[in-house]
């Protein structure tokens, strides 16, 4: 994974606030692990302060309800939809000054992708139901997907993510590395038990 690790480091260190990333690969190849390692590297390298947030959100959790998914990300104003009884911060506001990891980003609706590329382009967004105010957030996005990005993501969204990191499948990795992974998983499980 030397090339992938170098890409990840470059994305974190790129001035002034890092590059947005999209991590590609099959289920189980370590996309979430890489995102967490990128966050730890950002803290260790001083690119982010120690108290910088790292928020993780799996877009598949709300894929059947795109409006709720958008609300989770961007927040909402009171009365924005039936049941919105109070004003609510979204994950983007909560991750301001840090990193937001969006797992299974291909499950985000076209509308949600368009709202994200507004954030990427301008650094601002609106909560759901907000017409006048424009909010600012300095968030580095790291997204991950198992899908073909040519068919699952909007072209306008893909073009705004400059760093693509492709994780090789486990069968493409050397036997020694696979053995190390097995030992690590057994070690983690034994500590848990």
């Amino acid at each position: 994974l030397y090339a992938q690790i170098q890409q990840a480091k470059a994305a974190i260190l790129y001035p002034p606030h890092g590059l947005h990333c999209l991590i590609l690969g099959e289920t189980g190849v370590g996309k979430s692990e890489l995102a967490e390692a990128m966050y730890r590297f950002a803290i260790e390298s001083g690119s982010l302060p120690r108290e910088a947030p790292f928020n993780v959100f799996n877009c598949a959790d709300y894929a059947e309800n795109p409006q709720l998914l958008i609300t989770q990300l961007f927040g909402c104003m009171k009365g924005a939809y039936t049941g919105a009884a109070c004003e609510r911060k979204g994950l983007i506001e909560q991750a301001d000054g840090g990193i937001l990891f969006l797992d299974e980003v291909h499950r985000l609706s076209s509308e949600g992708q368009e709202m994200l590329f507004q954030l990427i382009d301008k650094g601002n967004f609106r909560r759901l139901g907000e017409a006048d105010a424009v909010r600012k957030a300095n968030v580095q996005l790291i997204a991950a997907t198992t899908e073909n990005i040519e068919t699952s993501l909007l072209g306008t969204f893909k073009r705004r993510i400059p760093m693509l990191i492709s994780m090789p499948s486990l069968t493409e990795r050397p036997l020694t590395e696979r053995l190390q992974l097995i030992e690590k998983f057994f070690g983690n499980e034994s500590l848990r038990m």
Side-chain angles (χ1 to χ4, degrees):
L1 297 179
Y2 180 80
Q4 289 80 2
I5 291 168
Q6 292 307 108
Q7 284 182 287
K9 285 181 175 181
I12 292 298
L13 296 175
Y14 195 85
H17 304 294
L19 294 173
H20 302 294
C21 287
L22 182 58
I23 304 172
L24 313 169
E26 297 173 2
T27 300
V29 296
K31 297 181 297 293
S32 299
E33 240 354 92
L34 179 61
E36 287 177 35
M38 289 171 74
Y39 171 70
R40 288 191 306 272
F41 177 73
I43 299 293
E44 290 166 11
S45 68
S47 296
L48 289 177
R50 292 219 171 275
E51 67 279 356
F54 178 68
N55 290 350
V56 177
F57 181 70
N58 189 327
C59 297
D61 292 346
Y62 295 93
E64 300 303 317
N65 190 338
Q67 188 169 357
L68 193 54
L69 196 156
I70 288 170
T71 300
Q72 290 292 327
L73 288 175
F74 295 94
C76 71
M77 301 305 290
K78 182 178 179 178
Y81 58 89
T82 306
C86 61
E87 197 172 303
R88 195 165 128 215
K89 278 185 176 184
L91 289 168
I92 288 168
E93 265 180 278
Q94 294 172 33
D96 190 20
I99 294 174
L100 176 60
F101 175 53
L102 299 175
D103 202 4
E104 299 196 51
V105 73
H106 60 276
R107 304 297 291 269
L108 189 59
S109 67
S110 298
E111 180 188 4
Q113 289 179 46
E114 288 171 7
M115 291 171 78
L116 269 183
F117 73 63
Q118 174 71 20
L119 175 70
I120 292 168
D121 270 0
K122 308 278 188 215
N124 58 44
F125 67 98
R126 287 188 170 100
R127 289 179 180 171
L128 193 64
E130 194 167 45
D132 301 334
V134 174
R135 298 175 184 275
K136 293 220 169 274
N138 177 20
V139 177
Q140 184 176 5
L141 293 176
I142 300 175
T145 184
T146 56
E147 301 297 310
N148 177 347
I149 61 170
E150 299 306 320
T151 56
S152 63
L153 298 175
L154 295 176
T156 49
F157 180 67
K158 285 185 309 210
R159 284 193 297 274
R160 282 166 174 81
I161 300 184
M163 182 65 78
L164 297 179
I165 301 174
S166 187
M167 299 289 284
S169 70
L170 293 174
T171 55
E172 295 174 74
R173 297 188 191 176
L175 219 47
T176 55
E177 185 178 322
R178 287 189 261 171
L179 180 60
Q180 287 173 343
L181 287 170
I182 291 168
E183 288 172 350
K184 180 183 180 207
F185 294 145
F186 274 117
N188 291 347
E189 190 63 23
S190 69
L191 288 174
R192 237 174 35 116
M193 293 176 69

